[in-house]
Amino acid sequence: MKLAFYIHIPYCSKRCGYCDFNTYTPSELKITSGLNEISGAYIDLANQEIDLAKNKIGQEITVGSIFFGGGTPSLMQPLDIGKVINKIKSDFHLADSAEITLEANPDSVDKDKLSQFLDVGINRLSFGMQSAVPHVLKTLDRTHNPENLPKVTGWAKELGFSEISVDLIYGTPGESMQDWQQSIDSALSLPISHISAYALIVEPGTKLAAQIKRGEIEQIDDDLTAEKYLVADKSFSTAGFHWYELSNWAKNDSKSQHNLSYWNGENWWGIGPGAHSHINGERFWNVKHPNSYKEKIQKNELPIQDSEILQASQIESERLMLSFRLTSGIETKSLNNQQIQDLSTYVKTGHLNQSDWQNGRATLTLNGRLIADRIVREILL
């Protein structure tokens, strides 16, 4: 069986105002000496969960990708990250071509630390850039210095990382089209092979949501946000980055193999507090708080909070939702007559590619990408 591992590092030095991920700061955990204090101890717990995962799966496994996400995985000690990679190598068959990604805050690494991450087996870096414009980063409550991106990506390229990605966020309140173009141009000036661009979603319960509700920050302009997507796609395409998923563009052979495993409905195991897993039609997720996670692991128990066996209808709905996001789209022969009839309307309006449709596939055009969620909702009804 092929398997991907997601390793959740649930720690950040500071919580960004827009973020609702399952992360914790030293102050929230009442840690006074910083995150170095818990790096090794947390990694030991993660490795114990890998042991438990092996016992649960109980079959020959080939691991095609490992993704260290967060939180801020680059705050961990490289040797501790290496322990996880070595654990997976010893317990499973790690493919020779395995993609091993580390998410990084550009303020949390220097050249020496990047070199150490390379030495322990990381071969792909994903830097959280968000924006190159200081006032946009301020609205997002993001603390990194945008001037660090050229330095850290330059070091990474010099050290030998062949796959370097950056994440951008567009649609932040107060972000002009000129601001967004500046961020695009700054990202494209970096030695990168992959770029992700996500529309800002204001999540309930975040600091940003409260600021907007109080009127301290303006509402998101949805029309301007859509225009920013079009501008981004044009700039990325001109620079040699090819769209392969709604929010992701890559140079040749640089697609995120780990994320493709999600979008293609393959098996993955999520390690750490709040991490989700999917194994052969069963979905399960871990307890969220690090202390609860620790208690479960120390009892030699899988830290699962809950699980569900996916029904055939759920599996089909997820197949449609995820496949539709990809350039390959959906084979029309896998659809029923009503779905084909519904989608044919979008071929006529130019939201689905006409030549692909005639060849048996439903694929999004550029304008179709702007209303992808609406189209999918229609064929799921």
Side-chain angles (χ1 to χ4, degrees), residues 59-291:
Q59 57 179 290
E60 191 67 28
I61 300 295
T62 296
V63 176
S65 67
I66 306 171
F67 194 104
F68 293 88
T72 311
S74 52
L75 290 173
M76 298 290 101
Q77 295 301 305
L79 288 178
D80 290 328
I81 294 294
K83 288 178 183 177
V84 176
I85 298 171
N86 288 333
K87 179 64 175 173
I88 292 172
K89 278 183 181 178
S90 67
D91 283 7
F92 306 91
H93 172 63
L94 183 63
D96 292 338
S97 60
E99 175 191 88
I100 307 177
T101 303
L102 182 88
E103 287 187 333
N105 181 307
D107 282 1
S108 67
V109 291
D110 55 22
K111 189 174 182 179
D112 181 59
K113 194 170 189 180
L114 288 173
S115 178
Q116 293 179 57
F117 281 128
L118 183 66
D119 288 343
V120 300
I122 298 297
N123 56 30
R124 184 176 184 273
L125 293 170
S126 180
F127 287 104
M129 179 176 177
Q130 282 71 50
S131 173
V133 181
H135 80 83
V136 175
L137 291 171
K138 184 177 181 181
T139 300
L140 293 171
D141 199 23
R142 178 78 177 179
T143 58
H144 80 258
N145 181 353
E147 295 178 3
N148 281 340
L149 263 299
K151 285 195 296 186
V152 296
T153 55
W155 288 333
K157 185 71 173 178
E158 181 184 336
L159 289 166
F161 284 98
S162 58
E163 301 294 343
I164 305 169
S165 179
V166 293
D167 291 350
L168 293 175
I169 292 176
Y170 61 95
T172 301
E175 178 190 59
S176 67
M177 190 62 80
Q178 292 74 22
D179 291 333
W180 176 230
Q181 189 65 59
Q182 181 181 333
S183 292
I184 291 171
D185 293 343
S186 295
L188 292 176
S189 72
L190 303 173
I192 58 174
S193 55
H194 184 281
I195 191 164
S196 301
Y198 302 103
L200 177 66
I201 298 175
V202 180
E203 300 288 357
T206 61
K207 177 181 177 181
L208 179 61
Q211 290 173 312
I212 291 175
K213 185 176 182 179
R214 292 193 298 264
E216 298 169 5
I217 293 176
E218 64 190 63
Q219 297 281 347
I220 290 177
D221 185 331
D222 291 334
D223 291 337
L224 184 59
T225 296
E227 287 180 38
K228 287 174 180 175
Y229 182 90
L230 299 176
V231 167
D233 182 77
K234 182 178 180 181
S235 295
F236 298 158
S237 300
T238 300
F241 291 80
H242 309 292
W243 165 67
Y244 72 100
E245 191 275 341
L246 277 181
S247 301
N248 289 272
W249 293 256
K251 291 187 175 179
N252 292 334
D253 303 320
S254 291
K255 298 174 184 177
S256 169
Q257 297 306 309
H258 184 85
N259 287 338
L260 280 168
S261 68
Y262 297 151
W263 300 322
N264 288 324
E266 297 172 2
N267 291 317
W268 76 87
W269 192 293
I271 298 291
H276 285 232
S277 304
H278 171 261
I279 305 292
N280 298 332
E282 180 184 7
R283 181 186 289 123
F284 46 95
W285 49 97
N286 287 350
V287 293
K288 293 187 72 172
H289 198 278
N291 291 342

Side-chain angles (χ1 to χ4, degrees), residues 287-301:
V287 293
K288 293 187 72 172
H289 198 278
N291 291 342
S292 301
Y293 176 78
K294 180 179 179 179
E295 289 172 8
K296 288 271 193 180
I297 295 292
Q298 288 182 336
K299 292 177 183 177
N300 206 36
E301 298 176 6

